[in-house]
Amino acid sequence: MEIIRTVAELKAKLNAARENGSIGLVPTMGALHAGHLSLIERARRENDTVVVSVFVNPTQFNNPNDLATYPRTEEADTAMLCEAGVDYAFIPSVEEIYPEPDTRQFALGSVAEVMEGAMRPGHFNGVAQIVSKLFDFTRPTRAYFGEKDFQQIAVIRKMVELEGFDLEIVDCPIKREADGLAMSSRNVRLTPEQRAIAPAIHKALEGSLSWAADHSVEETKRYVIDEINSFPQMEVEYYEIVDALTMQPVSDWAETDSAVGCVTVFCGDVRLIDNIKYPKRK
């Protein structure tokens, strides 16, 4: 595995690699875990060359403290990437990615205006900035993203449409701990007490599947919120049931064949996200 620090070297290496076949890109912000490795494993199976970016992107953080406390574990990350058979690890500095401020504003539309878009102003524009740069630098055949960030995938698909990138977006299932907690780099910030109760998020989502069978959308939302909020140190920021394609909230199960419940929970001061897909109504 080669570690690359500059855009110029990355482009040169991948221009040569592209002549020998497909390129798979896995964008990450580091602090890697088994969820990231599952994306890398799939990229390895489906492509001739695999590149993983490790970059904590400042433009997508609307909370300076969240940026400051985001875990950074480059030495451990590079060891994991090498073991996973990655060809190139792109680990640039902020100055390399943003030699000048990125003032681009993306017309991402309604998929970026709800849920995370409403709670974190500017977040998705920052995501579009960095992902568009990575796509431009690497020109991958395929790019891999985890479904834990369900809304983000919809936003990236919209950005690809706007910018005209010729690539396939591959969405991959959520990877979970044995107790159901969605794997996240932020999990390392949980105290032992918080880590013990955090799996209640997924448990509430799973419980809502049977509850939803004979309850309304609004009643199902209330069930999930009440279940999670019953635990000390846990507070739901939002729980929304949306159409999987448009990300728009639904008020009746009949409005969509692909309902997804998306939740954000503060466990102490750690912000955790998760989601669940509801079965199509007969």
Side-chain angles (χ1 to χ4, degrees):
M1 184 185 79
E2 293 186 51
I3 297 175
I4 298 175
R5 304 283 183 180
T6 69
V7 172
E9 183 183 3
L10 180 69
K11 287 182 174 180
K13 294 286 187 181
L14 293 184
N15 283 341
R18 198 170 288 108
E19 297 178 2
N20 298 319
S22 58
I23 295 174
L25 169 67
V26 182
T28 83
M29 293 207 299
L32 302 180
H33 50 68
H36 296 109
L37 293 180
S38 70
L39 306 183
I40 294 166
E41 288 165 6
R42 182 164 178 184
R44 183 75 280 170
R45 290 196 307 270
E46 297 178 353
N47 299 278
D48 299 294
T49 299
V50 174
V51 56
V52 176
S53 62
V54 177
F55 180 68
V56 181
N57 175 45
T59 71
Q60 70 189 67
F61 286 83
N62 62 319
N63 182 335
N65 184 62
D66 194 20
L67 174 60
T69 58
Y70 198 88
R72 293 163 172 83
T73 57
E74 182 179 318
E75 185 175 345
D77 290 346
T78 54
M80 290 177 68
L81 294 177
C82 189
E83 179 69 21
V86 169
D87 297 297
Y88 301 107
F90 180 47
I91 311 178
S93 66
V94 173
E95 294 74 21
E96 182 68 18
I97 296 296
Y98 299 110
E100 297 177 355
D102 192 339
T103 59
R104 292 176 298 162
Q105 294 291 318
F106 292 82
L108 298 167
S110 57
V111 295
E113 294 171 354
V114 297
M115 297 188 295
E116 292 296 278
M119 295 298 176
R120 303 177 66 187
H123 167 66
F124 282 133
N125 196 73
V127 169
Q129 288 174 341
I130 184 57
V131 175
S132 64
K133 281 179 174 285
L134 292 172
F135 287 174
D136 182 55
F137 300 157
T138 60
R139 294 290 168 176
T141 312
R142 303 174 187 89
Y144 296 79
F145 298 89
E147 286 188 339
K148 180 175 71 70
D149 298 293
F150 196 85
Q151 186 180 7
Q152 176 176 276
I153 296 175
V155 169
I156 290 169
R157 290 188 190 279
K158 180 62 176 180
M159 183 275 292
V160 166
E161 176 189 326
L162 291 171
E163 297 295 298
F165 287 111
D166 180 18
L167 77 162
E168 179 186 354
I169 300 296
V170 182
D171 49 315
C172 302
I174 297 173
K175 193 80 171 176
R176 298 186 181 278
E177 304 287 357
D179 57 12
L181 179 64
M183 290 185 178
S184 170
S185 299
R186 299 175 192 272
N187 291 351
V188 299
R189 294 181 51 209
L190 296 169
T191 67
E193 294 80 8
Q194 291 165 350
R195 177 62 186 82
I197 62 173
I201 299 170
H202 180 57
K203 186 177 180 180
L205 293 177
E206 279 198 315
S208 76
L209 292 177
S210 56
W211 176 269
D214 52 8
H215 289 84
S216 69
V217 168
E218 195 59 38
E219 289 168 336
T220 302
K221 287 165 59 177
R222 178 47 53 191
Y223 167 87
V224 170
I225 292 169
D226 288 347
E227 285 289 306
I228 296 172
N229 284 350
S230 70
F231 287 83
Q233 299 193 63
M234 294 233 283
E235 183 177 358
V236 174
E237 183 178 40
Y238 67 79
Y239 182 58
E240 196 61 77
I241 296 175
V242 303
D243 177 83
L245 294 178
T246 68
M247 295 294 114
Q248 298 309 293
V250 299
S251 57
D252 189 281
W253 297 113
E255 292 177 22
T256 180
D257 289 335
S258 53
V260 179
C262 299
V263 71
T264 295
V265 180
F266 278 100
C267 190
D269 63 354
V270 182
R271 192 172 184 271
L272 303 175
I273 65 173
D274 204 345
N275 60 75
I276 198 161
K277 297 176 182 177
Y278 290 95
K280 180 179 178 180
R281 294 299 176 102
K282 297 179 181 180

